[in-house]
Every structure is written in structure tokens, then in C-alpha cells.
Amino acid sequence: MSEATIPIQVEDLRAKASRELESVPDLDGLEAWRITYTGRRGQLTQLLRGLGALPSEERREAGAVANAVRAALEESLAEREDQLKRAAMEASLSADAIDVTMPGWPVPKGGLHITTRIVREICSAFASMGFTTVEGPEVEWDTYNFEKLNIPKGHPARDMWATLWIDHIDEDGEHPMLLRTHTSPMQARIMEATEPPVRVVVPGRCYRYEATDPTHEWHFYQIEGLAVDRGITLADLKGTLYEFARRIFGSERKVRFRCDYFPFVEPGVDMSIDCFLCDGVGCRVCQDTGWIEIMGAGMVHPQVLENVGYDPNIYTGFAFGMGPERVAMLKYGIEDIRLFYANDLRFLRQFA
Ligand code: DAH
């Protein structure tokens, strides 16, 4: 190697290294470049090994050039590193960028169960007529479910309610427990707990030991109603239930009351509305009768008033009980009560 060539070679090296540095694509490439040129075994270091052979004057000069080149290359390296890092960051930012014009993710929206809706609708129709909503226990004593309602042990009327008994023995074996078969036991509980006047509706779940079919479930809801005061007559019952039917089924509705038997009322009635689908002409929904039965009702039996400590010579009252699922089935044309509790979202979403 000639003495004069070292600075020239260093300059050449610098030109080559600078050119290459421009086209290093990423940080890995940058490290490879550093090892090739400015690293401990890099080309620049190799060149400088030759300096020792030069006379001291030239060595100083060439050394100064070499040091300047090393400093310049290291500075370019740092700059390029900076550039590549910034480019990488920008690339990842734009990859993660949010396009605000894209449609958003749908947020799953909950809704009320159809039974909850119809129960609320019915209770609020009665609330506007002065009825308070109360609730009661689903596990009940035989006493409240039957006896206080004028259905003594062994009475054939008990067969009207296929009962699910709870495996419970009282100390004296006297108080069998059951899943309430209707909401009527709340009549007795409310009257025992309050003085007249009473005006309540009681929504809640009931249970029966029954096979299921399109119109029967082994558990379902009822809404009980009770009004007791001085001078309440059958006309109050009719007026109140007529108003209820108009609110739920439309202002054109007619109602019909016929005699029926329930042990806790006297007289007992069943109430029907004229079919809202065919306007009473006769169709599938009303089974060609023109009428649809919607609830049982009646004047509270004097024996029931006595059982709870009310004087039947002073007070009279009316009571009624209906199945809200049945009301919803009529209102929305639902053909199978089992759909209510089968948890099929395709059914439930239609009402949410
Ligand atoms: N508890 C009766 C049932 O489940 C329905 C009923 C009928 C309730 C007449 C009443 C009533 O309050 O007066 O079949």
C-alpha cells in the first residue's frame, strides 16, 4: 500500500459506505452496515491498521482524516437509525389507524322478557284505577293456598289444582308446604296484614303438576286482583274488568260474564271478551265462538272474609285471577305457551 493512498482509500470507503447507508432498508440492515464499516473489525478499522507504517507527519494527517471520516460515518449512522425508527413508528401508526367512517361494532342490547312486559302493562292499567302492585311467596303453606280460601283438606275442589308438594314436615305434621298453584293465597295474606279498603294486584309465578302442551306449562304467571271495602258490588267488578279489557285489547271490546265455580268467590264468574280478530264473527283464535275467555273472578266468599278476620256483614269485595301469558298469546297471536320459557332468542327478540 503506497503511503499517499490511505487518505484516498478512507475517502473512497466513506463514499461507498454513505451510499450504502442510504439504501439500508431497516434496523437489522443498519446493524449489518455498522459491523461492515465502523465496527471493531470493520473496513475502516482495517484500513487504519496501515497507518502505523507511515512517517509520523503523514500518519498524523492520515489519522486526522480517518478520525473525521469515522466521526462522520457514526453521525450518519445515528441519523439513519433515527430515520428508520421514525418510519417504522409511522407505519405502525397508520396500520392501527381508525377509520372513523367505518360502521361501529354492534353493542348487544338487552330487552325485557315478554312476560315482564305484559305483566307491567296489565299492572299499570290497574294502577291507574287505584290498585297497588304487591308480590308474595312462591313456596306457600297449604293453609294459604287452600284452607283460608275455603278449600278444606279432602275437599274435591282441590282437584282443580294439580299440586307440587314440597317435601317438608312441620314439627306437628300439620302444615304441608307446596309450590303455590295460583296467586290467590295472597288474597288471604294481604287481608290479614291490612285493614280495608284493599285494592291490590299481585303478579307472580305459579306451579302445577301438569303435563305441558300448547296451552299448559308446569310453571306460569298469574295476576291476582282484590278489592275489598264497604259496599263493593258485582257492578264494581264488571266496571273495573271492562275498563281493563278496553285498555289492553282496545276501546271497541265487549265483555261477557258467565257463572263459574271457584271455592273462594260467590258468585263466581268467568270473563270473556269479544274476539278482537274476527270482531265476534267466529275464527280460529276464538274457536268459532266469537268470545275469548280471559279470567276467573267473583265476589269474595263471606267465609274467606271471615277466615282473615274481616266482618262479612260490613265488607264485601271482588277478586279476579288471570294468566298474563294467555293475555300476551291473544294479543300477539302466539300459539304455544311453551315458547315463553324455552329461551329461544328468535322468539324472545320479537318482543324485546
Ligand atoms: N285462582 C284461580 C285459578 O288459578 C283463578 C281465580 C278465579 C282467581 C277466580 C280469583 C277468582 O281471584 O276470583 O284457577
Side-chain angles (χ1 to χ4, degrees):
M1 198 185 296
S2 95
E3 296 153 15
T5 58
I6 287 189
I8 292 172
Q9 283 180 330
V10 168
E11 276 303 330
D12 285 351
L13 188 68
R14 169 194 172 129
K16 181 165 169 259
S18 298
R19 250 192 337 269
E20 259 178 46
L21 189 60
E22 289 291 302
S23 55
V24 165
D26 53 26
L27 293 168
D28 284 347
L30 202 63
E31 178 61 4
W33 180 92
R34 187 190 66 76
I35 292 165
T36 311
Y37 293 107
T38 60
R40 277 194 322 125
R41 290 161 200 232
Q43 295 184 17
L44 186 62
T45 318
Q46 304 284 343
L47 263 182
L48 297 184
R49 291 231 170 92
L51 283 177
L54 295 177
S56 68
E57 186 65 10
E58 284 170 28
R59 189 166 62 215
R60 213 175 321 119
E61 213 176 290
V65 171
N67 280 335
V69 166
R70 175 183 293 283
L73 286 180
E74 276 168 1
E75 197 177 317
S76 305
L77 172 73
E79 258 170 41
R80 183 75 181 133
E81 184 175 357
D82 217 40
Q83 238 175 33
L84 287 173
K85 279 188 176 160
R86 209 167 320 126
M89 194 167 78
E90 271 161 22
S92 97
L93 272 182
S94 73
D96 294 345
I98 296 166
D99 180 351
V100 292
T101 64
M102 293 278 280
W105 294 107
V107 179
K109 197 158 96 354
L112 294 177
H113 191 275
I114 178 173
T115 303
T116 309
R117 280 172 183 269
I118 197 81
V119 164
R120 289 189 184 177
E121 197 183 327
I122 293 168
C123 290
S124 83
F126 282 105
S128 67
M129 293 187 268
F131 286 74
T132 309
T133 300
V134 291
E135 290 180 308
E138 291 175 23
V139 179
E140 193 46 285
W141 300 111
D142 178 279
T143 328
Y144 283 95
N145 197 83
F146 292 125
E147 283 183 47
K148 290 187 194 237
L149 296 174
N150 202 26
I151 317 166
K153 284 202 174 65
H155 193 284
R158 286 203 176 201
D159 291 350
M160 291 167 74
W161 295 276
T163 306
L164 282 158
W165 296 95
I166 299 283
D167 194 6
H168 162 85
I169 310 280
D170 210 36
E171 282 124 50
D172 48 15
E174 291 259 320
H175 296 97
M177 225 185 221
L178 46 77
L179 292 176
R180 68 176 174 193
T181 58
H182 49 182
T183 42
S184 303
M186 278 302 285
Q187 290 189 27
R189 285 187 176 276
I190 288 157
M191 288 192 281
E192 281 182 350
T194 52
E195 289 299 314
V198 171
R199 251 184 299 173
V200 291
V201 280
V202 187
R205 214 188 263 265
C206 306
Y207 303 83
R208 296 219 186 142
Y209 183 56
E210 270 179 351
T212 62
D213 69 25
T215 54
H216 295 90
E217 255 290 10
W218 65 273
H219 67 102
F220 51 90
Y221 277 70
Q222 280 192 346
I223 298 180
E224 192 79 13
L226 177 69
V228 183
D229 202 352
R230 290 169 194 262
I232 289 195
T233 70
L234 192 68
D236 297 308
L237 179 160
K238 290 174 78 174
T240 307
L241 295 184
Y242 179 47
E243 184 55 25
F244 151 77
R246 286 162 45 93
R247 289 194 192 198
I248 301 296
F249 293 104
S251 56
E252 302 301 307
R253 294 286 60 79
K254 296 186 195 117
V255 297
R256 180 186 74 178
F257 294 93
R258 292 191 303 184
C259 289
D260 202 348
Y261 170 70
F262 301 98
F264 32 90
V265 284
E266 181 57 33
V269 296
D270 70 53
M271 174 179 146
S272 303
I273 54 172
D274 65 325
C275 181
F276 49 84
L277 244 189
C278 63
D279 276 329
V281 176
C283 69
R284 198 170 47 89
V285 170
C286 61
Q287 283 156 357
D288 285 326
T289 63
W291 295 96
I292 298 169
E293 257 181 53
I294 57 172
M295 67 173 107
M299 299 304 290
V300 181
H301 198 292
Q303 185 62 54
V304 174
L305 294 174
E306 222 159 79
N307 291 346
V308 298
Y310 281 12
D311 185 345
N313 296 312
I314 302 176
Y315 296 109
T316 52
F318 67 81
F320 57 87
M322 74 181 98
E325 291 96 340
R326 179 157 163 72
V327 172
M329 286 168 81
L330 291 169
K331 201 168 166 169
Y332 301 115
I334 301 161
E335 291 183 346
D336 194 325
I337 193 174
R338 292 170 294 191
L339 288 167
F340 283 73
Y341 307 112
N343 283 337
D344 186 335
L345 289 177
R346 291 170 305 175
F347 170 76
L348 297 173
R349 282 204 180 109
Q350 297 177 73
F351 308 97

